[in-house]
Amino acid sequence: MQSSREQTEAEFLKSYDASRYERPSVAVDMVIFTILDRPQPNYRKLPEKDLCVLLIKRGGHPFKDHWALPGGFVQPTESPDQAAVRELAEETGLENAYLEQLYTWGDPGRDPRTWVISCSYMALIDASRIKLAAGDDAVDARWFRVSKKLKQEKRKLTRNGSVLKQKYSLLLSSEELTTETQLEKTITKHGRRQTEEEQILVPGELAFDHARMISYAVDRLRNKIDYTDLAFNLMPEYFTLTQLQQVYETILDCELLKANFRRKIENKVVETDSFTAGDGYRPSQLFKRSVGLQYS
């Protein structure tokens, strides 16, 4: 009688039938944020600032001529993180910008071509360091101002918790186009368990589910800016404290008390011997980030 032996891993892999399970395509989508000065007719006033996101106009189907986040498919020889670094470099020319993975999107039907799972990433850059160029599958690339505002909030108590529904407006605008997406977030609390779901009520003119990705990234940036140093990724090397405060206010969409803000960031910046010049108003001292400051 022939003795049986345990199958080796090499033998198992050689006989394994990968076609038993349908495999998705994997993509990365980049939410690239920057801060831009708003055009100011009075040169003696400090320009207001806008939080902006980079969008590309799709040159082919699906969603031809719609605006979308830059991104692409993950190649078999790279990880999603490596694909994100590659896509960021292709779109902006930067290879050392702040990059953070946000979320994995895999709702059925999110891409009409096939089953596509996408990892979204948030990048924060100083716009003065780059020159935009549309990729091979895009006909245009430009910055869009971002505004996300809460429009309605309703809470319903249940036997063991509550259901909170929040309706938001996500407004994206450039010189030639303004598009609004309306979203609804449902936060359900049941005992110690909490779940969140977000859906698009009015899609606007963005491709795929990219409005949800941008909305998620805005929330992440707002939530982290208060306890991290992410804002410095959006700043040039030298800046005034007023400019830094403007960036915080732009992201948080609220005004901050000057004295409180300066106490909060005093250990994060260092003075320089340089001052602003030629701006049409009184020169201001320039600062830079503290040595060793972490962008976590």
Side-chain angles (χ1 to χ4, degrees), residues 27-255:
V28 292
D29 287 298
M30 313 296 297
V31 186
I32 304 173
F33 285 133
T34 196
I35 297 289
L36 295 178
D37 288 343
R38 191 178 304 173
Q40 175 58 256
N42 185 351
Y43 76 98
R44 293 186 179 277
K45 293 183 64 176
L46 285 174
E48 296 183 23
K49 297 184 181 297
D50 291 309
L51 177 66
C52 297
V53 65
L54 179 61
L55 297 180
I56 57 101
K57 191 172 185 179
R58 291 182 56 81
H61 297 294
F63 296 102
K64 184 178 180 180
D65 296 329
H66 282 64
W67 291 91
L69 294 170
F73 288 98
V74 179
Q75 301 302 314
T77 57
E78 61 186 0
S79 68
D81 284 357
Q82 291 170 331
V85 171
R86 171 177 55 79
E87 288 289 342
L88 180 63
E90 290 176 359
E91 295 292 340
T92 67
L94 297 179
E95 297 181 350
N96 60 347
Y98 176 86
L99 193 61
E100 172 185 348
Q101 187 176 128
L102 293 175
Y103 194 75
T104 301
W105 308 83
D107 290 355
R110 60 170 301 275
D111 190 312
R113 293 168 292 190
T114 185
W115 183 17
V116 179
I117 293 176
S118 179
C119 299
S120 61
Y121 287 78
M122 177 175 68
L124 305 178
I125 63 176
D126 170 18
S128 65
R129 297 175 57 199
I130 71 168
K131 183 176 182 180
L132 296 185
D136 294 338
D137 57 348
V139 294
D140 194 4
R142 68 180 62 181
W143 294 109
F144 279 72
R145 295 184 293 276
V146 182
S147 173
K148 181 181 179 182
K149 295 184 181 295
L150 178 65
K151 293 296 185 180
Q152 188 181 79
E153 185 174 75
K154 292 184 178 180
R155 184 186 300 273
K156 179 182 178 181
L157 297 179
T158 62
R159 178 177 297 180
N160 295 314
S162 63
V163 177
L164 175 65
K165 289 186 176 292
Q166 299 173 319
K167 291 186 178 180
Y168 291 91
S169 168
L170 180 69
L171 193 66
L172 303 174
S173 57
S174 67
E175 294 181 359
E176 300 177 0
L177 174 68
T178 296
T179 180
E180 181 181 14
T181 300
Q182 295 178 22
L183 307 104
E184 182 179 66
K185 179 185 290 187
T186 302
I187 304 173
T188 303
K189 292 184 178 181
H190 188 79
R192 296 182 179 181
R193 184 169 179 261
Q194 177 174 309
T195 60
E196 294 187 12
E197 295 182 357
E198 187 176 59
Q199 61 177 325
I200 296 176
L201 301 179
V202 180
E205 299 184 41
L206 294 183
F208 306 104
D209 50 2
H210 290 183
R212 291 183 63 195
M213 294 185 183
I214 297 171
S215 172
Y216 190 95
V218 170
D219 288 346
R220 175 71 67 88
L221 182 57
R222 287 176 175 174
N223 290 338
K224 292 188 71 172
I225 195 176
D226 193 46
Y227 66 90
T228 69
D229 305 308
L230 287 185
F232 289 89
N233 292 282
L234 297 162
M235 305 300 298
E237 183 178 4
Y238 300 99
F239 50 83
T240 69
L241 295 184
T242 299
Q243 289 170 339
L244 182 60
Q245 181 171 338
Q246 281 183 299
V247 169
Y248 272 79
E249 292 176 335
T250 298
I251 293 171
L252 296 172
D253 195 23
C254 67
E255 292 187 7

